[in-house]
């Protein structure tokens, strides 16, 4: 696009509002996948095998116990990562030591940047221009959430939240549970099952 002789860059962040609206749809999509898997495994595959008796019934009980345990862990970790705050910058954050360089000596008044100014040439203390506040190390601004997040990994549309310092553990648990949950749901292709 040209406007008065200047090339305008394409702004991908204008779609951040659409990502916020997509959130409830993604939660319903995840729950839909879990529901379809539950229907296929429990109601169609191993549920009817419980009445067959013998070895097939024992295998079906074992698979259903493992399946339900993984399902409970998957749903708990998913909703934990969805509803846990990823961690924000404390109000009136002000570093007491030089955290960027790993030094433990206190910052002097001459080294500190005032809160009212954003000195972009100062490399020791970081400042967020969008939030108008100082940023701790490994803190990044999320364009979708519209705030700075501590130890931000990414904004995940599947969990409709940023993955940060306080919900990273739940996100990893969700991924591990998903890794084990889906193959258990696909065990109907094994030769020793029904």
């Amino acid at each position: 696009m040209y406007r008065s002789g200047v090339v305008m860059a394409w702004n991908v962040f204008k779609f951040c509002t659409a990502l916020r609206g997509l959130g409830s749809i993604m939660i319903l999509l995840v729950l839909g996948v879990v529901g379809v898997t539950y229907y296929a495994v429990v109601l169609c595959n191993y549920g009817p095998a419980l009445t067959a008796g013998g070895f097939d019934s024992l295998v079906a009980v074992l698979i259903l116990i493992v399946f339900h345990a993984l399902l409970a862990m998957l749903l708990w970790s998913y909703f934990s990562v969805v509803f846990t705050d990823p961690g924000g910058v404390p109000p009136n954050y002000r570093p007491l030591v030089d955290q960027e360089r790993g030094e433990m000596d206190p910052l002097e008044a001459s080294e500190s940047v005032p809160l009212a100014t954003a000195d972009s040439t100062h490399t020791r203390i970081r400042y967020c221009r969008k939030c108008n506040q100082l940023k701790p190390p490994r803190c990044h601004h999320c364009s979708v959430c519209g705030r700075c997040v501590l130890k931000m990994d990414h904004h995940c549309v599947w969990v409709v939240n940023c993955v940060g310092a306080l919900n990273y553990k739940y996100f990893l648990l969700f991924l591990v549970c998903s890794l084990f949950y889906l193959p258990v749901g696909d065990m109907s292709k094994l030769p020793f099952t029904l």
Side-chain angles (χ1 to χ4, degrees):
M1 301 177 126
Y2 289 98
R3 190 181 299 178
S4 66
V6 178
V7 177
M8 301 293 292
W10 187 60
N11 186 4
V12 293
F13 296 112
K14 67 182 179 181
F15 297 109
C16 293
T17 307
L19 285 177
R20 281 185 224 130
L22 185 67
S24 57
I25 295 171
M26 297 309 282
I27 291 175
L28 292 175
L29 183 65
V30 168
L31 291 177
V33 168
V34 169
V36 167
T37 307
Y38 188 85
Y39 173 78
V41 171
V42 176
L43 299 177
C44 293
N45 223 1
Y46 296 106
L50 292 174
T51 59
F55 182 72
D56 291 340
S57 179
L58 179 65
V59 169
V61 166
L62 292 175
I63 289 176
L64 286 174
I65 289 172
V66 169
F67 181 79
H68 280 91
L70 287 172
L71 176 65
M73 289 188 294
L74 176 84
L75 290 175
W76 175 79
S77 61
Y78 179 71
F79 285 113
S80 293
V81 74
V82 168
F83 293 118
T84 301
D85 181 49
V89 179
N92 298 326
Y93 167 77
R94 195 149 179 95
L96 299 176
V97 295
D98 191 355
Q99 297 170 339
E100 291 290 321
R101 293 186 3 194
E103 296 175 359
M104 296 307 293
D105 56 328
L107 289 175
E108 298 174 9
S110 61
E111 294 178 312
S112 181
V113 177
L115 286 175
T117 63
D119 187 5
S120 60
T121 60
H122 199 285
T123 59
R124 296 176 69 162
I125 298 175
R126 297 175 49 221
Y127 185 83
C128 180
R129 293 183 184 138
K130 295 175 183 167
C131 294
N132 295 324
Q133 64 182 3
L134 295 174
K135 292 195 313 186
R138 294 193 59 205
C139 180
H140 301 286
H141 187 85
C142 177
S143 299
V144 179
C145 295
R147 67 185 187 128
C148 286
V149 178
L150 293 174
K151 294 186 181 179
M152 180 179 170
D153 189 273
H154 67 287
H155 184 90
C156 185
V157 294
W158 293 100
V159 298
V160 196
N161 202 355
C162 283
V163 178
L166 301 180
N167 65 354
Y168 193 77
K169 175 179 91 171
Y170 301 125
F171 182 74
L172 286 179
L173 286 172
F174 170 64
L175 293 180
V176 170
C177 289
S178 299
L179 180 71
F180 291 118
Y181 171 77
L182 294 176
V184 169
D186 198 31
M187 288 182 80
S188 60
K189 295 185 173 90
L190 293 177
F192 64 83
T193 59
L194 303 173

